[in-house]
Amino acid sequence: MSDSQKATAGEPLRVALLGCGVVGSSVARMLVEHADDLAARVGRPLELVGIAVRRAGRDRSDLPVDPSLFTTDADSLVTRADIVIEVIGGIEPAKGLIEKAMAHGASVVSANKALLAEAGPSLYASAALHGVDLYYEAAVAGAIPILRPIRESLAGDDVRKVLGIVNGTTNYVLDKMDTTGMGFAEAVEQAQALGYAEADPTADVEGFDAAAKAAILASLAFHTRVSSDQVHREGITEVSAADVQAAREMDCVVKLLAICERTEVAGPDGRPTPGVSVRVHPAMIPRSHPLGGVRDAFNAVFVEADAAGQLMFYGKGAGGDPTASAVLGDVVAVARHRVGGGHGPGESAYADLPVLSMGQALTRYHISLAVADRPGVLAQVATAFAAHDVSIETVRQKVVEGEDGSPTEASLVVVTHTAPDAALSATVEALAALDTVREVTSVMRVEGA
């Protein structure tokens, strides 16, 4: 018997797979095709003992697995496994099945961002109670290893900010609007035709998907429980061609960003109080910034830590094989724990920092105004900013000529310094009320500068 055979000669670890869609199919295929390598890495064979599906009779002959493994009885399947892989998505029945698996002593690997963002603390508690692992690298940014570096590699450091493009669909849409001049609807249709967007793209374009991922990232980075309903969320449906052009004029690009930041705000006594700001919204970001060059449906996460400095994680954020790669990385990790004894890290929420409102978040605004072309306009605009304690960084003015060649109005573009979002929002309302301002044509936050 060879050394490798001796190393994997123990009793197989039983693996149950919940779900056989795009990701589940890739996981099943890789478990079978890479069985020998996985066994050598774990120290024991991994035996696929069942695949829970909604319809057992569906043709899955393209998968190299025994047809008898497919079952609709997920409840029974999770009770006879050492490791359960959950890739069915949604809250229920996924949550109930995971809890049942843990109660029967199975470690769990999940790719379910919505579930982890909503019920992560209770699942962590169940894992601790039953002495099993809960891993979910694939829940954020597909194949990109980001959760484990934050949770483990940076455990001795203080993470200050996580800035990420964590939804490939919206990045593709905004990239096409920037590089080809496509409108929003046309870019979404192309994303759907290429398989980057679902038939109903609401979860992506309205920011729900990114908000769930932001909650997970913030919880890990700041040792604080953050749920998806605490994340300020704005989608990209209101991003216009004018917004994209305005960004281009500033040598910026529009991205849907997940922004998780540890910051300080004035407490009731006026002293600085630490808190966590977690938000998802479109923003202008300089093309020179590492995230500014992320194209097509790719994802990237930019991390700033005290000692490590700036770190960049980039790659494919979705798709069957990339996501399955992250799933199997977790499977190997939890399998090694079962073979060697011990467990991976559990929930770390000791900091328990308050989650700040969007109004308390510190950001910058890019504001475009259509104003009357007459003396005193700029002074009125500046007064509105000063009244809300918002400092102006730059002002650009362009006169728009009437049909007879006479100047009729001007376009005024203002970029602010950093200020609380509530003050910036109030400033925009004040500007809209000025008799010299005909229209606030565009408002967008600026990040990364």
Side-chain angles (χ1 to χ4, degrees):
M1 181 180 293
S2 68
D3 289 341
S4 61
Q5 288 174 321
K6 290 177 182 178
T8 60
E11 195 73 18
L13 294 174
R14 299 162 297 171
V15 178
L17 176 60
L18 307 181
C20 198
V22 173
V23 175
S25 296
S26 291
V27 170
R29 180 178 294 107
M30 292 170 71
L31 276 170
V32 173
E33 293 179 349
H34 301 282
D36 290 342
D37 286 336
L38 292 172
R41 294 166 192 170
V42 169
R44 297 255 292 275
L46 300 178
E47 179 187 358
L48 185 60
V49 296
I51 305 174
V53 294
R54 288 195 181 93
R55 298 185 301 276
R58 181 178 171 184
D59 180 22
R60 296 182 176 86
S61 57
D62 58 320
L63 291 179
V65 299
D66 186 337
S68 66
L69 292 178
F70 294 102
T71 178
T72 56
D73 188 3
D75 285 280
S76 174
L77 176 60
V78 299
T79 66
R80 52 189 177 89
D82 299 305
I83 300 170
V84 170
I85 303 171
E86 183 274 309
V87 289
I88 56 179
I91 307 303
E92 292 291 355
K95 182 174 182 287
L97 290 170
I98 287 174
E99 291 174 336
K100 188 169 188 177
M102 289 177 172
H104 282 80
S107 291
V108 172
V109 171
S110 176
N112 195 333
K113 54 188 171 288
L115 178 59
L116 269 299
E118 178 174 308
S122 67
L123 294 180
Y124 264 127
S126 182
L129 176 65
H130 299 294
V132 297
D133 280 329
L134 172 64
Y135 273 49
Y136 46 91
E137 182 66 63
V140 178
I144 303 172
I146 181 62
L147 299 188
R148 201 174 304 172
I150 290 176
R151 184 168 65 173
E152 300 177 28
S153 302
L154 295 174
D157 206 341
D158 285 326
V159 176
R160 291 295 170 182
K161 187 171 186 177
V162 180
L163 184 69
I165 297 169
V166 295
N167 182 273
T169 299
T170 53
N171 198 59
Y172 181 86
V173 170
L174 293 172
D175 182 50
K176 294 308 169 188
M177 291 176 70
D178 174 57
T179 58
T180 70
M182 282 186 188
F184 171 79
E186 184 183 1
V188 170
E189 288 180 3
Q190 186 171 102
Q192 290 170 322
L194 293 171
Y196 295 143
E198 301 287 345
D200 179 1
T202 302
D204 294 321
V205 299
E206 293 292 358
F208 290 101
D209 175 84
K213 295 171 181 176
I216 294 171
L217 287 167
S219 298
L220 292 176
F222 307 124
H223 308 281
T224 294
R225 290 179 174 177
V226 179
S227 61
S228 53
D229 60 3
Q230 293 176 295
V231 180
H232 175 82
R233 175 192 55 79
E234 297 174 29
I236 65 168
T237 54
E238 299 301 317
V239 176
S240 67
D243 293 327
V244 174
Q245 177 59 33
R248 188 179 294 114
E249 290 173 359
M250 290 179 58
D251 200 25
C252 288
V253 63
V254 178
K255 299 290 185 184
L256 183 71
L257 298 177
I259 304 167
C260 314
E261 190 170 18
R262 179 169 175 157
T263 186
E264 290 187 339
V265 296
D269 59 358
R271 296 180 179 179
T273 301
V276 174
S277 171
V278 191
R279 48 200 166 98
V280 168
H281 55 70
M284 296 179 181
I285 192 166
R287 291 182 187 272
S288 58
H289 190 280
L291 294 180
V294 178
R295 301 285 307 280
D296 294 320
F298 278 75
N299 283 194
V301 181
F302 191 76
V303 178
E304 296 180 12
D306 278 353
Q310 297 179 336
L311 306 170
M312 176 81 164
F313 301 83
Y314 170 84
K316 292 183 177 179
D321 286 350
T323 306
S325 170
V327 168
L328 288 178
D330 280 351
V331 169
V332 169
V334 301
R336 284 172 172 168
H337 295 159
R338 297 188 76 93
V339 171
H343 303 97
E347 182 186 28
S348 176
Y350 73 89
D352 195 25
L353 297 172
V355 180
L356 306 177
S357 68
M358 184 59 196
Q360 295 171 288
L362 299 177
T363 185
R364 299 164 62 217
Y365 271 25
H366 173 284
I367 306 167
S368 296
L369 306 169
V371 299
D373 184 36
R374 64 172 188 256
V377 172
L378 190 56
Q380 283 191 344
V381 168
T383 299
F385 279 91
H388 294 90
D389 201 25
V390 174
S391 175
I392 295 174
E393 181 179 293
T394 63
V395 178
R396 290 185 292 118
Q397 183 172 344
K398 179 173 65 176
V399 175
V400 179
E401 292 186 351
E403 292 183 1
D404 60 354
S406 61
T408 57
E409 67 177 31
S411 171
L412 201 63
V413 178
V414 180
V415 179
T416 74
H417 284 292
T418 300
D421 195 83
L424 291 163
S425 180
T427 302
V428 172
E429 290 184 13
L431 291 170
L434 294 176
D435 59 2
T436 53
V437 174
R438 298 182 178 178
E439 183 183 7
V440 179
T441 56
S442 175
V443 178
M444 186 164 287
R445 296 178 183 90
V446 180
E447 297 289 337

